[in-house]
């Protein structure tokens, strides 16, 4: 057998050496390709292996799969075909394998189920799902005799809960439904029994009851209560308070050495599975009560994983691993003696993956392999299946060979697609994995955009993308302008993903590039047009300058760019957009600031942007007083910026320094106050000048502190009160030697992006901190307090991800930068954490107290910190307004939340800003930095009645001369039962207010008409709604206009109307014409003397004026209020009567009134001037001259 096994091993090794495996094809995410690609089925969702259902709910067994074409589904139950169509109670969802079992006895459907998903390319299997119905059996009826025990003796009250599925959670309570107090002396064991290390007289009760809570059915079964009687040798006074230091109140009770109540005997054993939780128990009897200590034979307890519970009687090890096996010792001791118990712990393991098989996509004639490696204790057995059937039952296929945990595929052919299952099993469980092998043939396809145009700046790197796919994997080549051989070499580099990299774009690189992808099934191509553009640069930069207040400042910004690229120039001041207006002017190559003031001081930035690049430059403007900064210099001497420094010289070279000397330029009557030294290096940012340092104006020789591994050149700029000089000519180059890094990368941190990883990140060193070539980072990590060796990696990036970590575990981190010259300093240790998961436990016993109208006090029991599975962030309370206590009042049911950051043992908080008289619901979750846990119990509460909100509206409408009408509506939020409305009002005269008056109205009144007590006063009204709690928010309005004010508001002055102005102009023109006619007649000897002519037309004009109605004009009082005039005050002018509605009655005047008698007398030429004059004189003595004098017509008459 050994010889035969050795031969098999040699054969396998020979095959692996001779066989060259092709890399599997990676299918791109392009939806068009995935939609057209045939694919075997893949299970994407299934129910748990051990599936327990509630008998009150419908049974849903999940099985979802994807594939192309869509798979069909079938089921096996207890290893046999399950005919779903014959059972009317079972239904399978459309396009799914999920089963729904609606009615009937759930117990009839218990068993083992397995789902099969099939299409033309194979069959995938689900796990074997063991379906069981939750059970909550009743406690068996039994009569419990009273338990009699002597004082100081040990006691065990057995629970023996009914076996449920899943097992119930047990606890002990008394008849008042209060938990039995537990401490070092009295505690409940893991099996649910109640243990007394020694019995006290105060333990004598008749209501020790064991309770079993069944999680699925949410029911609690209660065992008949125990009656405990304690026999005492001496009388016991139960009125005395309990003293823990002397529990027997001085009475003589025999002390005893410790004995082990659980587990029994001197030693025991325990088997636990890897990854599960280990619970070891040690409960001792004795008087005085023994204390418990734990040890591990041959080593220390793993402090990071061990927790002590139940007053040190229970040892818990979380997430057990193989190294936790061994012999654990518990020792119970008191002052009388001690005892030990040994527990041998054996760790077994259900199968777990070492290398899970993955889907494989191959082209025809390619090779591949599937690997299935698992471990466990005992070692699992590996079995391969194909499309759900054992290999032995499948058709022979010469292109595949099974070698233990590996299937090797050689020269696969079309039609060989299938789904392979790997089953790893031992006594403690099994693993099942599906992995398909898809033999794909597809002609080449280009997935990128067609005929793309790429624009690049000259000398820049650029990439021409040509993503492609095909099976077999196509060969891709690039051509330029459709000629020549493939591009690869020189400053071209063709990548295997189809991208062509051009190292430094040149003008001659411009043209049309064609990528051609080809395989055995065909070829395809795509074109990319490349245009090389000149860079966008600011060739004349703005310079720092100082300007006198009131003078003109100008910043240059001359731009040079590619003629085919439009550019936009934007000016900023102090990093904010500059508002260009009438004063600040942006010209083509500069910015002008005339009449400079202190507000113009700041840093101005010119930014020029094209569609593919940009450049910017900044300069500072300082505003000076008009007087010269140097009083000794006459203001008559002109000042200007200094000339550039001259003759830059380098001397005294050292490893990290050099002396720079220069000759200052002419200061132009303004002393040089500062020199700025700039540098340029040709490795990281060639052509870019950067500030190195600045020096006082009386220096011209300085030692420059430099960084290693930099090829420097320098220039100097002089600065005076007017501005900066032009830069000097550059110095000769000076190259410093390399050295190990001096700096430690900053910002080192570790945090999880998933629950099973930790991402270590840091800030990379700056270019000038590299100190040498090939800069990399050494990163170390290890679990905190584990004592394990450091793990490390060297990387050139700024991130490293650690996979397969436990959830939220602290790690120690440190980092070091390194280059070809050596290592830099190591950082201090930083603590990072692996990823967080959702908290597993909800807060419990959520309740409220002190409910007010707008706030409520919230209480809850906190969760165990170990269940948060991350950094505690807050307890988040979700609450919403369910309804108002007022019927038919719509409410906003938006769910709000509030966080409480309390870590107290009995946390509480206050929830405010609630709406009074409303029904609320709320629940609470615990949250870590990235997840929220399950919700707590939902609590309902009702807020008390409060004061109402303001009415929806409040209007004051003028009703008559001295009456107003008040209108309002109910509040948007009554906040209780409305009992009425309250109206407050008072007079307001500027800053003076009158006595306040109050009126109340019934809740169904929303309209009220009232008479104003003072017609000439202005009023302020305040309206509020009332509940039994009090008055709510007030709605305040000013009184309406009085009658005269309303009239003015609704009518405009006639003298401002266009038609009236036009009429007056026409009358003036007619008068002018008539006057001219009169003078002509007089010059010819007419009948009218000049005076009579004037009199006649003037009287006619007055007559016309009397026929015009005039608007009523109120007189405004000095205090801003308006007076209500009497009817006598408001009489219209003679000849018109103005009504309240603004209308004008017809005139009572007629021409007859101006004659003598009933008929008017005319002269021979038809005039009646003489008679009119007589009548007019009489009327003028009776008319209202003051009213006529203020008329605009009278104004014209006076001019005439």
């Amino acid at each position: 057998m050994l010889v035969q096994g050795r031969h098999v091993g040699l054969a396998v090794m020979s095959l692996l050496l001779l066989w060259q495996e092709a890399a599997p094809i990676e299918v791109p995410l392009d939806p068009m390709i995935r939609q057209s690609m045939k694919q075997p089925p893949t299970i994407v969702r299934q129910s748990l292996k051990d599936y327990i259902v509630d008998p009150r709910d419908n049974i849903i067994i999940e099985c979802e799969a994807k594939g192309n074409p869509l798979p069909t589904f079938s089921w096996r139950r207890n290893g046999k075909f399950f005919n779903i169509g014959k059972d009317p109670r079972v239904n399978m969802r459309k396009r799914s394998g999920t089963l729904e079992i609606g009615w009937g006895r759930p117990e009839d459907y218990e068993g083992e189920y397995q789902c099969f998903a099939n299409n033309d390319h194979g069959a995938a299997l689900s796990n074997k799902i063991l379906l069981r119905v939750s059970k909550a059996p009743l406690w068996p009826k039994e009569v419990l005799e009273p338990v009699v025990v002597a004082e100081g003796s040990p006691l065990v009250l057995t629970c023996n809960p009914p076996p449920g599925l899943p097992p119930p959670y047990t606890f002990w309570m008394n008849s008042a439904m209060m938990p039995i107090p537990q401490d070092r002396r009295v505690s409940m064991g893991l099996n649910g029994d109640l243990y007394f290390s020694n019995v006290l007289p105060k333990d004598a009760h008749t209501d020790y009851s064991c309770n079993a809570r069944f999680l699925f059915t949410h029911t609690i079964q209660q065992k008949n209560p125990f009656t405990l009687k304690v026999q005492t040798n001496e009388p016991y006074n139960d009125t005395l308070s309990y003293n823990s230091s002397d529990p027997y109140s001085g009475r003589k009770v025999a002390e005893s050495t410790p004995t082990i109540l659980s587990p029994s005997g001197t030693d025991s054993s325990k088997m636990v599975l890897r990854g599960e939780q280990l619970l070891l128990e040690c409960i001792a009897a004795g008087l005085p009560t023994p204390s418990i200590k734990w040890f591990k034979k041959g080593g220390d307890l793993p402090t990071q994983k061990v927790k002590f519970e139940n007053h040190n009687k229970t040892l818990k090890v979380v997430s057990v691993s193989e190294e936790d096996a061994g012999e654990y010792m518990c020792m119970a001791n008191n002052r009388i003696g001690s005892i030990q118990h040994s527990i041998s712990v054996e760790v077994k393991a259900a199968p777990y993956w070492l290398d899970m098989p993955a889907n494989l996509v191959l082209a025809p004639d390619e090779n591949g392999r599937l690997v299935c490696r698992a471990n466990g204790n005992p070692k699992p057995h590996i079995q391969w299946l194909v499309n759900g059937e054992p290999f032995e039952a499948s058709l022979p296929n010469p292109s595949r060979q099974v070698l233990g945990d590996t299937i090797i595929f050689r020269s696969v052919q079309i039609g060989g697609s299938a789904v392979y299952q790997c089953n790893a099993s031992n006594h403690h469980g099994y693993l099942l994995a599906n992995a398909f092998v898809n033999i794909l043939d597809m002609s080449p396809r280009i997935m990128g955009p067609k005929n793309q145009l790429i624009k690049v700046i000259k000398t820049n790197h650029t990439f021409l993308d040509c993503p492609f796919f095909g099976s077999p994997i196509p060969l891709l080549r690039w051509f330029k302008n459709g000629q020549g051989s493939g591009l690869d070499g020189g400053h071209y580099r063709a990548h295997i993903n189809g991208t062509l990299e051009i190292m430094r774009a040149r003008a001659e690189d411009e043209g049309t590039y064609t990528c051609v992808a080809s395989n055995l099934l065909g070829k395809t191509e795509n074109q990319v047009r490349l245009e090389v553009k000149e860079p966008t640069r600011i060739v004349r930069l703005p310079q720092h300058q100082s300007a006198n207040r009131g003078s003109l400042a100008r910043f240059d910004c001359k731009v040079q760019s590619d003629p085919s690229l439009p550019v936009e120039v934007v000016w900023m001041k102090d990093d904010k957009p500059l508002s260009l207006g009438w004063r600040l002017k942006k010209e083509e190559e500069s910015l002008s600031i005339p009449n400079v003031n202190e507000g113009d001081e700041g840093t101005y930035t010119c930014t020029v942007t094209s569609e593919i690049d940009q450049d910017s430059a900044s300069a500072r403007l300082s505003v000076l007083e008009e007087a010269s900064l140097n009083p000794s210099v006459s203001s008559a001497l002109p000042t200007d910026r200094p000339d550039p420094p001259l003759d830059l010289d380098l001397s005294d070279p050292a490893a990290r320094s050099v002396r720079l000397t220069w000759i200052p330029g002419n200061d132009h009557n303004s002393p040089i106050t500062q020199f700025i030294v700039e540098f340029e290096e040709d490795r990281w940012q060639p052509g870019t000048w950067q500030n190195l340092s600045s020096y006082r104006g009386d220096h011209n020789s300085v030692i420059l502190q430099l960084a290693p591994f930099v090829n420097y050149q320098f220039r100097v700029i002089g600065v005076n009160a007017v501005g900066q000089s032009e830069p000097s000519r550059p110095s000769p180059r000076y190259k410093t030697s390399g050295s190990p890094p001096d700096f430690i990368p900053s910002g080192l941190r570790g945090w999880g992006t998933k629950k099973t990883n930790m991402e270590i990140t840091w800030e990379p060193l700056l270019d000038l901190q590299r100190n040498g070539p090939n800069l990399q980072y050494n990163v170390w990590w290890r679990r905190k307090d584990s004592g394990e060796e450091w793990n490390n990696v060297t990387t050139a990036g700024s991130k490293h991800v650690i996979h397969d970590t436990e959830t939220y575990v602290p790690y120690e981190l440190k980092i070091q930068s390194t280059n070809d010259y050596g290592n830099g300093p190591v950082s201090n240790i930083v603590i990072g954490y692996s990823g967080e998961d959702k908290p597993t436990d909800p807060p419990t016993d959520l309740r409220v107290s002190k409910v007010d109208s707008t706030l409520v006090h919230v209480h809850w029991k906190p969760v165990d910190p170990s269940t948060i599975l991350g950094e505690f962030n807050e307890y988040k309370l979700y609450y919403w307004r369910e309804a108002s206590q007022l019927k038919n009042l719509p409410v906003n049911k938006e769910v709000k939340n509030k966080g409480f950051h309390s870590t107290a043992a009995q946390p509480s908080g206050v929830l405010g800003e609630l709406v009074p008289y409303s029904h609320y619901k709320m629940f609470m979750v615990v949250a870590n930095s990235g997840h929220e846990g399950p919700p707590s119990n939902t609590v309902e509460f009702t807020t008390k009645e409060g004061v109402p909100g303001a009415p929806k509206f409040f209007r004051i409408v003028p009703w008559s001369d001295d009456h107003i009408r008040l209108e309002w509506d109910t509040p948007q939020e009554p906040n209780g039962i409305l009992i009425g409305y309250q109206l407050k009002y008072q007079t307001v005269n500027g800053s003076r207010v009158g006595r306040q008056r109050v009126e109340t109205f019934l809740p169904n009144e929303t309209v009220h008409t009232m008479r104003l007590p003072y017609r000439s006063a202005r009023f302020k009204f305040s309206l509020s709604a009332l509940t039994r709690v009090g008055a709510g928010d007030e709605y305040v309005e000013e009184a309406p206009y009085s009658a005269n004010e309303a009239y003015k508001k609704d009518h405009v002055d006639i003298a401002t109307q266009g038609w009236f102005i036009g009429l007056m102009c026409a009358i003036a023109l007619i008068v002018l014409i008539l006057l001219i006619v009169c003078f002509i007649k007089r010059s010819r000897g007419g009948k009218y003397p000049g005076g009579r002519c004037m009199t006649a037309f003037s009287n006619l004009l007055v007559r016309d004026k009397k026929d015009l109605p005039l608007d009523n004009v109120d007189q405004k009082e000095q205090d801003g209020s308006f007076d209500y005039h009497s009817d006598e005050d408001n009489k219209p002018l003679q000849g018109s009567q103005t009504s309240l509605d603004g209308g004008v009655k017809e005139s009572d005047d007629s021409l007859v009134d101006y004659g003598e008698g009933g008929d008017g007398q005319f002269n021979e030429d038809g005039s009646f001037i003489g008679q009119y004059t007589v009548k007019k004189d009489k009327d003028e003595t009776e008319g209202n001259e003051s009213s006529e004098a203020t008329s605009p017509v009278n104004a014209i008459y006076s001019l005439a």
Side-chain angles (χ1 to χ4, degrees), residues 808 843 858 860-866 868 870-876 899-909 924-928:
Y808 198 65
V858 184
W860 65 95
K861 289 185 179 178
V863 302
D864 186 343
S866 65
I868 298 177
E871 182 182 4
F872 171 76
N873 185 26
E874 63 181 356
Y875 286 98
K876 185 175 289 187
F900 299 94
H901 303 275
S902 174
T903 56
Q906 296 181 343
S908 63
M924 179 177 282
V925 299
V926 65
N928 55 32

Side-chain angles (χ1 to χ4, degrees), residues 140-178:
K141 293 183 179 181
E142 56 183 335
V143 177
L144 299 177
E145 297 294 333
V147 178
V148 181
V149 63
E151 180 181 7
S153 299
L155 174 65
V156 180
L157 297 181
T158 58
C159 181
N160 295 328
L165 187 65
Y169 167 74
T170 56
F171 55 96
W172 287 80
M173 303 186 77
N174 58 24
S175 58
M177 299 306 292
M178 297 297 293

